[in-house]
Amino acid sequence: MMKRIIVSLLLLVSTSSVTNRMAVAAELSQYAANKAMKANQLAQEDKLSQAIETLKTADVSRGYDKAYFSRMLGVFYWQNEQIKPAINALEQAVASGELKDDQGWLTERMLADLLLMNQQFKQALPHYYQLSKNIPQTQNASELWLRISQVHYQIEQWQKTLNAIAEYDKYKQPDAVTPLSVKLGAQLQLERWEEAIPTLKKLINLEPERSNWWLQLVNLELRTGKKKDALSSLGLAQLQKIELSDADLRLLAQLYAHNGIPERAGLVLEQLKDAQTNVDLITERAFYWQRAKEWDKAIDTWALAAKFDGKYHWNIAQILMQQARYDDALSELDNVKEKGKQAQVALARTKALYKLNQLEPALIEAKKANNIEPSDEAKSWIKYLTQLRKAKDNQTS
């Protein structure tokens, strides 16, 4: 993109230099003016090699004549796609000091841009800074400072990049992608996360369809602890139909959950392509439904997880117990087979049977729990149920 901009500028400069030669012919010697007119005519006829040869073989001695010919050669070499000779010719023209005012400024600008096009960044910079000291009113000062910032960016001088962008900003140009992108890149390299956030928001306003701007914004908001802002940005990106990866959607779900909206988290996870087959995604979704107190959805989701791993029957049983669905809970507890959970299963069955007023089976389960793994809870149930049974026996005797 930078090369395209430079080429456009050089076309503008070279065209103006050719069409205005007759205006400055009076400053040339008569011999030089005739040669310049001949070379110009050949160039207009696309005979660039002949135009170049005409100037190279001309016998000129005056300083201004030499500088002017060097400038013309620079233009012709560039038009003939001979970049290095063009640079050498323009360097001679600039170094002579013979070209003044706008003519001299444009010549040095052309040299700086050609050096940049040829990736001679460090050589281009001094010329750009020299140009910045006295910018003609006819020239675009903001564009020059943008170019300076781009050169600093190319050689990874991040603070100087931002300094040049600050000069560019003084000209109050409308927001544009190129300067904002350069600014953002330097801010990120310097880890200035807070400063980069408003830059990204401006880029999003200009290119709302670009997913990388949205995702970078979310990343920076997370880095700076702005989780609510990150949720808003990622949620808005989804509403804007930005294509989000499964990892992005999972992050969105986690942000919804972190910000107290677990039901939205569950809905987002349902959109993932592996939502029905990835156990981690299924169990994460089940937890969100539980937090949202969507009990039926939580049970259904744990049931799906249990098809892949039987240990999740325990999660279903716990919800059923919590919801006082004791008959269903007892059936589900039959599916919990892990040895390490048998004491807990027996205690859960104890409670369910007690709630169903089945005291004798409940006492049997309490004793079973205590035999597997003695605990205060099991002993309390045994004591309590034994007392209830005695009281009931006394009532019936």
Side-chain angles (χ1 to χ4, degrees), residues 10-22:
L10 283 171
L11 280 169
L12 176 65
V13 174
S14 62
T15 301
S16 66
S17 68
V18 170
T19 55
N20 291 332
R21 283 193 183 100
M22 299 307 100

Side-chain angles (χ1 to χ4, degrees), residues 44-63:
Q44 289 180 348
E45 295 171 3
D46 290 329
K47 298 176 180 179
L48 289 169
S49 295
Q50 294 178 42
I52 290 169
E53 191 63 25
T54 298
L55 294 175
K56 284 177 65 178
T57 58
D59 185 14
V60 291
S61 57
R62 291 176 68 240

Side-chain angles (χ1 to χ4, degrees), residues 142-194:
S142 64
E143 184 186 72
L144 179 67
W145 281 107
L146 175 58
R147 190 61 46 77
I148 292 171
S149 73
Q150 290 172 313
V151 179
H152 282 303
Y153 189 92
Q154 289 290 336
I155 55 181
E156 300 182 359
Q157 295 177 335
W158 312 121
Q159 184 55 56
K160 290 183 178 180
T161 299
L162 293 180
N163 293 344
I165 283 291
E167 293 295 327
Y168 167 87
D169 287 339
K170 290 179 181 179
Y171 294 92
K172 307 295 183 183
Q173 297 297 306
D175 287 341
V177 172
T178 298
L180 287 170
S181 298
V182 171
K183 186 176 186 178
L184 174 66
Q187 288 170 332
L188 294 178
Q189 290 293 337
L190 293 169
E191 298 186 358
R192 297 184 182 176
W193 315 129
E194 291 280 1

